[in-house]
Amino acid sequence: MRIAVFGANGPTGRHLTDQALAAGHEVVAVTRRPGSLFERPGLAVAVADATDPAAVDAAIGGTDAVLSALGARFSKETITTYSASATAITGAMASHGIKRLLAVSSSIADPNWRPTGAHFFNHVLDPLVNRRLGRTLHEDMRRMEAVIRETDLDWTLVRPSGLFEHAVVTDYQIAETSADGVFTARADLAASMLRELEEQRYVRTAMGVITTAVKPNIAKLIWNEGVKKK
């Protein structure tokens, strides 16, 4: 399968690209940063701003599916990366007749998500980090989800919990809507997306993904994911 990966030079996108190539897929890595990725067997690089409809249209031509691993940092200002890119990507997919879309969102997009037994997270970290520091980011994720839901594409909204780095894929867990856990390794997120691309168990719904085999350092996770400058 020939796959377009948006955010391919980001931390999740790199896992996704490498795993897709290892699985035998052809990948079009879409990035807005020229020179940040280099072509190799099975990998083509397309330079495009994911919020630019014309650039997105040119990048995805000839692909069979689109996977978005786009991300943004926390900000007090209004964030539009997710919703604007969703509008551009879904419009381009419709014009090319590409039906399959998987887009990374967040467990926070599920208003009922509260991990079982995670008292400190539910009552301290979540209100402070996700609902306050990450408020504008998660508001735009919800707008992105709304844009995608209104299309007639075969979409899956992929909802990880707190993202962290881990070198290898673990025995991750998936569930409809959101999964009951606090953390998700990026390697597991990428693996779950490629698995769903093949199995199509969560078409036109949301899929939660969590990692339970390993856990990150929480302070380091907050710094790396929400605070540290790119």
Side-chain angles (χ1 to χ4, degrees), residues 3 10 25 35 44 51 59 70 99 108 118 121 129 137 146-147 153 157-159 195 199-200 211 215 219 222 226:
I3 303 167
H25 297 292
T51 65
L70 293 164
K99 295 292 289 184
I108 301 297
F121 176 83
V129 177
L137 184 148
V147 168
L153 302 176
L157 300 170
V158 186
R159 292 173 170 173
R195 177 179 172 183
E199 295 183 355
Q200 302 190 66
T211 298
K215 294 182 179 179
I222 294 171

Side-chain angles (χ1 to χ4, degrees), residues 1-6 25-28 30 42 44 46 55-66 92-93 95-100:
M1 188 179 296
R2 187 171 174 83
I3 303 167
V5 176
F6 284 84
H25 297 292
E26 294 182 27
V27 177
V28 177
V30 186
V56 171
D57 186 84
I60 69 171
T63 61
D64 304 302
V66 174
M93 290 178 67
S95 69
H96 284 282
I98 304 166
K99 295 292 289 184
R100 193 68 173 110

Side-chain angles (χ1 to χ4, degrees), residues 122-214:
N122 288 332
H123 296 282
V124 179
L125 285 182
D126 185 45
L128 174 62
V129 177
N130 293 323
R131 316 287 171 172
R132 187 172 179 180
L133 296 177
R135 180 180 59 83
T136 58
L137 184 148
H138 293 116
E139 285 175 346
D140 196 41
M141 278 188 170
R142 295 185 185 97
R143 289 192 290 269
M144 173 193 73
E145 288 200 355
V147 168
I148 292 172
R149 287 180 185 278
E150 290 178 0
T151 71
D152 63 356
L153 302 176
D154 294 333
W155 50 264
T156 302
L157 300 170
V158 186
R159 292 173 170 173
S161 297
L163 288 168
F164 69 99
E165 283 298 330
H166 187 64
V168 297
V169 177
T170 75
D171 187 19
Y172 60 86
Q173 299 177 25
I174 56 177
E176 188 170 352
T177 306
S178 59
D180 189 9
V182 179
F183 304 112
T184 307
R186 284 196 174 87
D188 291 343
L189 173 58
S192 73
M193 294 176 74
L194 293 171
R195 177 179 172 183
E196 170 58 20
L197 185 63
E198 298 293 335
E199 295 183 355
Q200 302 190 66
R201 293 175 57 193
Y202 298 97
V203 176
R204 298 188 65 80
T205 189
M207 176 184 81
V209 187
I210 57 166
T211 298
T212 58
V214 292

Side-chain angles (χ1 to χ4, degrees), residues 73 163-165 183 186 216-228:
R73 294 287 182 181
L163 288 168
F164 69 99
E165 283 298 330
F183 304 112
R186 284 196 174 87
N217 178 291
I218 295 177
K220 185 177 180 180
L221 182 150
I222 294 171
W223 174 258
N224 287 337
E225 303 304 324
V227 180
K228 185 174 69 174

Side-chain angles (χ1 to χ4, degrees), residues 4-41:
V5 176
F6 284 84
N9 65 329
T12 298
R14 289 183 181 273
H15 283 284
L16 192 54
T17 298
D18 289 344
Q19 289 185 27
L21 291 172
H25 297 292
E26 294 182 27
V27 177
V28 177
V30 186
T31 176
R32 60 185 175 86
R33 298 177 180 173
S36 62
L37 292 169
F38 300 96
E39 295 190 357
R40 49 185 156 131

